[in-house]
Amino acid sequence: MAKAWRGSWGQGELYETLCLLVIGAGCYLIGSVLGLFEIAIAFFLRYGLLDLVLLTSCMGVALLGAIIRKSLTLRRAMLERDAAARQAEAIARHDALTGLTNRRYFVEALETLRGRMTEGRRGAVLLIDLDRFKPVNDLYGHAAGNAVLCTVAERLEALLPAGGVAARLGGDEFALLVPFTGSSENIKRLAQQMIASLTAPIAWNDGEVKIGATVGIALVTGDDDADALLHAADLAMYQGKREGRGTFRVFEDSMDTELRERAALEAELREAVESGEIEPFYQPVVSLPGRDCVGFEVLARWRHPTRGLLGPNHFIAIAEETGMIADLSYRLLRQACRDAVSWPPHLQLAVNIAPQQFQDRGLAQRILGILAETGFSPQRLEVEITESALVQDLEAARATLTSLQNLGVRIALDDFGTGYSSLYHLRELKFDKLKIDRSYVDTITLSEERAKLVDAIISLGRSLGLVTTAEGIETDASVDWLSGQGCDFGQGYLFGKPMPKEEVDSMLKAGAILQQDAPGIPAKARAPSIPENAIVRYGRAKAA
């Protein structure tokens, strides 16, 4: 582009010079033919003005040189100004890091394509969001992140069809504008190729890093503007994220409806957290094989004004994604401690802590503050965490867990057997209890392989000095088998469903009647309640 501009300037200068030469030659011919030069010379000689003429001519030549120099300087300044304008325009339309076009240029190209849509000519917007990009930045630094972004840009340009536009919209979000004819299957194949290409390892410092990509596709129509099309592609991409990442989805109208419903639910959830509509329910935890109630696990329930009583599967994931989970968890813990402070002192309270809360260095202090505020003993509290809370920052988790245990709070590793580095964490961190995930427990009487795994977990816990709790127990056969293998505690619908505080209070007030008519506990499971002089140690009830 710069060469073209310089060429145009050079052609203009040559044209002007030729014009001036032609004018000068014309003046010379006119003067010669009409004898004007002879008359002028005779006049100058007669009156002695020849020296003055020569002086004036020399000064004119100098002035002409100055004019030419000024003209050249002006031309150079104009060239530099045009080059700066072109550079500014390029910067305004391109990403400085990757060299791809930016959102502004992409939107303009998309609007241009919409204006040229014909019956046989179609187009598609492919929105690409990188998976696992943040850990690359966190683990290897921003230099590695920049290298990944540049590599992604190169791979996208290599796959870009003729006439297409590749852009970096911001952060780790990219987009392709692809014109095509015929079936949209070609676009789907292109999305699959992009995912495969971006999943390939990226070299970095004698090693390699791996990322992935999720793609949302929106077909270009003449009815929707650029912003609407990008929004549609974003909805499709988000749907792909929800369904497991590393895939592509084509926008459908139902996605927009679903997103609006989710946005409404988020707003309702935020109001529910602040107004206290979400309250703690309590599910009994019993000792095995005696089936004495030794405590309760706190489970969240939302009393929705129109949808009724909602379980955590309806709102906990949204709370985690929107950052409301910490506030919700602390409110539930505070209310649960207030509820349980008047219960018999041998009853324990188990609460779940979300992985995001472990990013808060003041987690232990906040829990201690709630315990002091409510008067609930730290020795009666058990905090349950999952392995996903540990893999993000093991050292931060270690410090938090140690602080809690120094207060007297016990720590349980929840959903044991579903993570991918359990043995490492058991070695590095000091837990008090293992909770066997319900996905293993509900099939132990049907699957020999699952039974072997549960037996191995119980034996592992025993060898490390840890007590074990089996979740999701629903049959007497499961109780008998788990007790025979040495499992310490059980939890599930066989012993009782999650219940509000009022039902727990009624159950506790019943005392001896509870042993005979406790709801949700079959006759075979009825057992004497734990005596008042029982000593609870890491959840085990033993006679004093």
Side-chain angles (χ1 to χ4, degrees):
M1 183 64 75
K3 291 182 179 179
W5 277 97
R6 292 191 186 97
S8 64
W9 279 115
Q11 293 173 4
E13 293 170 350
L14 178 61
Y15 177 77
E16 292 177 4
T17 302
L18 290 175
C19 289
L20 292 174
L21 290 176
V22 170
I23 292 173
C27 293
Y28 174 79
L29 291 174
I30 292 172
S32 299
V33 172
L34 298 179
L36 296 179
F37 293 143
E38 288 82 356
I39 295 173
I41 292 173
F43 176 81
F44 293 148
L45 290 175
R46 177 180 299 177
Y47 294 100
L49 298 177
L50 185 58
D51 292 338
L52 181 60
V53 170
L54 292 176
L55 176 61
T56 304
S57 299
C58 291
M59 293 177 66
V61 171
L63 181 61
L64 178 62
I67 293 174
I68 293 174
R69 183 177 181 277
K70 185 68 175 178
S71 176
L72 293 175
T73 302
L74 180 61
R75 297 284 189 184
R76 189 179 300 109
M78 294 176 71
L79 286 171
E80 291 175 354
R81 183 198 64 186
D82 291 342
R86 290 193 303 275
Q87 184 177 6
E89 182 70 13
I91 292 174
R93 292 170 176 266
H94 290 78
D95 176 57
L97 176 63
T98 63
L100 297 181
T101 59
N102 60 12
R103 180 181 289 270
R104 173 186 170 186
Y105 185 95
F106 188 85
V107 169
E108 292 176 357
L110 181 51
E111 291 292 355
T112 301
L113 179 62
R114 286 182 58 246
R116 295 177 180 175
M117 294 288 288
T118 61
E119 187 167 341
R121 184 179 177 85
R122 308 174 67 188
V125 174
L126 290 83
L127 191 67
I128 305 105
D129 189 81
L130 302 184
D131 301 331
R132 302 183 300 277
F133 175 73
K134 186 177 183 300
V136 173
N137 263 338
D138 295 342
L139 293 174
Y140 302 103
H142 290 292
N146 290 342
V148 168
L149 294 175
C150 291
T151 302
V152 168
E154 293 172 0
R155 293 180 181 180
L156 291 180
E157 284 190 309
L159 293 171
L160 186 65
V165 176
R168 181 189 177 202
L169 303 185
D172 60 345
E173 192 174 63
F174 295 79
L176 295 186
L177 177 59
V178 181
F180 69 97
T181 56
S183 171
S184 61
E185 291 300 319
N186 293 333
I187 298 299
K188 295 179 181 179
R189 282 193 289 270
L190 175 61
Q192 291 174 331
Q193 292 173 357
M194 286 194 300
I195 294 172
S197 176
L198 298 182
T199 305
I202 298 174
W204 173 254
N205 281 356
D206 299 327
E208 60 184 30
V209 296
K210 293 183 179 181
I211 59 169
T214 304
V215 181
I217 303 173
L219 300 180
V220 179
T221 65
D223 300 328
D224 298 321
D225 60 17
D227 288 337
L229 289 168
L230 283 170
H231 178 65
D234 187 63
L235 291 179
M237 183 272 296
Y238 179 75
Q239 183 71 19
K241 291 277 190 183
R242 291 180 59 191
E243 295 178 2
R245 304 173 183 265
T247 184
F248 72 89
R249 289 292 179 268
V250 181
F251 172 76
E252 299 174 358
D253 291 336
S254 60
M255 294 179 182
D256 193 23
T257 303
E258 186 177 332
L259 184 68
R260 293 180 187 276
E261 292 177 352
R262 177 186 169 87
L265 188 61
E266 286 181 12
E268 292 174 351
L269 177 61
R270 194 173 300 278
E271 183 177 350
V273 172
E274 295 175 356
S275 63
E277 290 179 12
I278 300 177
E279 61 184 78
F281 271 44
Y282 305 94
Q283 184 174 33
V285 179
V286 305
S287 61
L288 299 179
R291 307 192 189 191
D292 294 333
C293 180
V294 297
F296 298 89
E297 180 179 0
V298 179
L299 301 170
R301 292 294 186 270
W302 182 4
R303 294 190 184 275
H304 195 279
T306 59
R307 305 186 189 191
L309 190 65
L310 300 180
N313 57 306
H314 288 90
F315 58 88
I316 290 298
I318 298 177
E320 291 178 342
E321 293 173 10
T322 56
M324 291 185 275
I325 189 63
D327 191 21
L328 173 59
S329 296
Y330 292 132
R331 287 173 181 265
L332 286 174
L333 175 60
R334 182 177 289 106
Q335 186 59 50
C337 289
R338 286 173 178 165
D339 292 346
V341 70
S342 60
W343 296 348
H346 67 270
L347 293 179
Q348 308 298 300
L349 201 63
V351 296
N352 290 279
I353 296 297
Q356 291 86 339
Q357 292 179 265
F358 273 83
Q359 304 304 308
D360 180 8
R361 298 280 181 172
L363 173 63
Q365 286 70 25
R366 295 196 64 171
I367 293 178
L368 177 60
I370 292 173
L371 295 175
E373 174 189 341
T374 59
F376 192 77
S377 171
Q379 284 73 25
R380 295 179 60 191
L381 181 65
E382 180 178 284
V383 169
E384 298 180 358
I385 63 173
T386 59
E387 286 185 291
S388 57
L390 307 176
V391 298
Q392 297 180 12
D393 191 340
L394 182 61
E395 291 306 316
R398 189 200 308 274
T400 300
L401 296 183
T402 301
S403 299
L404 289 173
Q405 288 174 320
N406 289 339
L407 297 174
V409 176
R410 288 180 304 282
I411 307 297
L413 183 58
D414 199 9
D415 300 334
F416 186 80
T418 61
Y420 52 85
S421 55
S422 303
L423 296 178
Y424 175 77
H425 290 142
L426 288 178
R427 185 188 69 187
E428 292 295 315
L429 303 172
K430 294 181 179 179
F431 294 100
D432 301 297
K433 177 187 286 188
L434 298 182
K435 297 196 71 175
I436 306 170
D437 187 68
R438 66 181 66 248
S439 63
Y440 291 94
V441 175
D442 59 12
T443 58
I444 55 176
T445 58
L446 303 175
S447 171
E448 183 179 353
E449 293 299 323
R450 288 297 177 95
K452 290 180 179 178
L453 287 174
V454 174
D455 182 38
I457 294 174
I458 296 173
S459 299
L460 176 63
R462 187 185 304 112
S463 67
L464 295 174
L466 308 178
V467 297
T468 51
T469 297
E471 298 179 295
I473 298 177
E474 297 184 1
T475 66
D476 291 320
S478 296
V479 174
D480 295 339
W481 188 90
L482 289 165
S483 300
Q485 304 308 118
C487 185
D488 300 285
F489 301 104
Q491 180 180 347
Y493 281 6
L494 179 64
F495 312 116
K497 295 182 179 181
M499 63 190 81
K501 174 183 181 296
E502 294 75 18
E503 292 187 24
V504 176
D505 290 340
S506 299
M507 185 181 75
L508 295 176
K509 285 180 181 179
I513 299 176
L514 171 65
Q515 301 172 24
Q516 300 175 4
D517 301 317
I521 302 180
K524 188 175 181 179
R526 297 168 193 156
S529 58
I530 298 176
E532 288 293 332
N533 61 345
I535 297 176
V536 178
R537 181 175 302 159
Y538 300 129
R540 282 187 202 271
K542 297 182 179 180

